[in-house]
Amino acid sequence: MKKAFLLVFLLTAFIISAETLVIKGSNTVYPVAQLWAEEFKKLHPDVDISIEGAGSSTGIKALFNRQTDIANASRWLKSSEIEKMNAEGRYFIPFIVAYDGIAIIVNKSLGIDSITIDQLYKIYSGKITKWNQIDPSLPKKRIVVYSRDNASGTFEYFVEHVMKKEKFAPYVQMLPSTNAEVERVKQNKYAIGYIGMGYVTDEVKALKVEGIEPTVENVNTGKYPISRPLFMFVDATEGLPTGLVMDFIRFVLSPEGQALVLKVGYVNAYGIEK
């Protein structure tokens, strides 16, 4: 009986002493956020970290609802979110944690290596529907067009910077995750999609955009034409967070944390140790 009581006491003490950090949001930020969490836990083994990558809008909504400590986002706040923040007397602080190029991917068998912003706009708006309209040497086959869904920050960036804020053609297929896009493009030799370049695998082909490859160096120098910062937002309505939340942010921005950004194929926002 005494042993059972002692066991319950120890378990209760552990639960009370353990800290929990909740991170929700961007599917693009998710791979490096996982690495940050793994390395942070080595330094703080008693911390329990929960990470979800359902989309930037999902993370920011969770921050409004006080259901997350950190919101990952691959875009800036929407005007509607800023208005909501002001109306509620809230204040979210952004931290740029990395940079990312949006890679345009096609099936490896397709005989194309480069594409322009204007061609992308015409493909996604429905003004170009077949591959031979891009290049007469390409198949006279209908382009199968994939996109992330509208919860995605990558979707928001693409609409603003490639689509000139115009709508997609109605047949563009919206997918819930970046991995789903990679899988569909891998399976369909006439498909096209756009993803964070950290998700590019050797199972698909990443095209040059305006003749520039989506590489760490080209994003870092600003040559690659479709790239953006990646953010972590925290709620500072009651003042800048302290404790576990800021310990994690400091680790993310540290040389060790920024080195992990390069490991997943993104671009570090700050200097790293040689």
Side-chain angles (χ1 to χ4, degrees), residues 34-199:
Q34 279 189 308
L35 286 183
W36 286 327
E38 289 168 9
E39 293 303 312
F40 188 78
K41 279 181 67 67
K42 291 177 183 177
L43 301 172
H44 305 273
D46 292 337
V47 173
D48 181 28
I49 303 178
S50 169
I51 305 178
E52 294 179 11
S56 299
S57 295
T58 303
I60 293 166
K61 182 178 179 181
L63 199 61
F64 272 113
N65 294 336
R66 295 181 171 83
Q67 295 172 336
T68 189
D69 298 304
I70 296 173
N72 292 337
S74 58
R75 61 166 175 82
W76 184 247
L77 295 173
K78 298 178 183 177
S79 58
S80 60
E81 291 165 340
I82 293 172
E83 290 168 6
K84 178 178 172 67
M85 192 170 59
N86 291 334
E88 296 182 4
R90 308 284 292 281
Y91 182 52
F92 299 163
I93 289 182
F95 294 90
I96 295 177
V97 295
Y99 288 89
D100 173 40
I102 295 179
I104 307 304
I105 57 170
V106 296
N107 189 275
K108 289 184 73 173
S109 68
L110 194 65
I112 182 175
D113 296 307
S114 187
I115 199 162
T116 68
I117 297 289
D118 185 61
Q119 287 169 335
L120 284 171
Y121 161 72
K122 289 177 178 175
I123 288 171
Y124 276 84
S125 63
K127 294 176 173 63
I128 287 178
T129 58
K130 295 183 179 179
W131 281 112
N132 68 318
Q133 293 174 273
I134 298 288
D135 187 324
S137 67
L138 293 174
K140 192 177 181 179
K141 295 288 186 178
R142 189 171 187 85
I143 303 171
V144 180
V145 191
Y146 292 113
S147 168
R148 280 298 314 279
D149 58 25
N150 61 10
S152 162
T154 306
F155 165 85
E156 297 284 349
Y157 183 92
F158 193 88
V159 168
E160 183 172 347
H161 291 83
V162 175
M163 296 304 296
K164 308 163 190 175
K165 298 187 179 181
E166 292 186 23
K167 292 182 178 180
F168 286 163
Y171 52 78
V172 174
Q173 300 181 51
M174 312 292 277
L175 299 175
S177 73
T178 304
N179 285 328
E181 273 197 84
V182 173
E183 190 63 26
R184 295 287 186 92
V185 171
K186 181 184 76 172
Q187 293 176 355
N188 192 316
K189 59 184 179 179
Y190 303 118
I192 191 170
Y194 61 91
I195 62 174
M197 70 183 197
Y199 276 90

Side-chain angles (χ1 to χ4, degrees), residues 246-261:
M246 286 311 299
D247 286 345
F248 187 80
I249 294 289
R250 278 191 285 269
F251 173 76
V252 166
L253 303 181
S254 72
E256 296 79 8
Q258 289 295 289
L260 296 173
V261 173

Side-chain angles (χ1 to χ4, degrees), residues 210-224:
E210 303 291 348
I212 307 296
E213 295 181 9
T215 64
V216 168
E217 181 180 358
N218 288 335
V219 170
N220 201 23
T221 60
K223 290 181 180 178
Y224 189 68

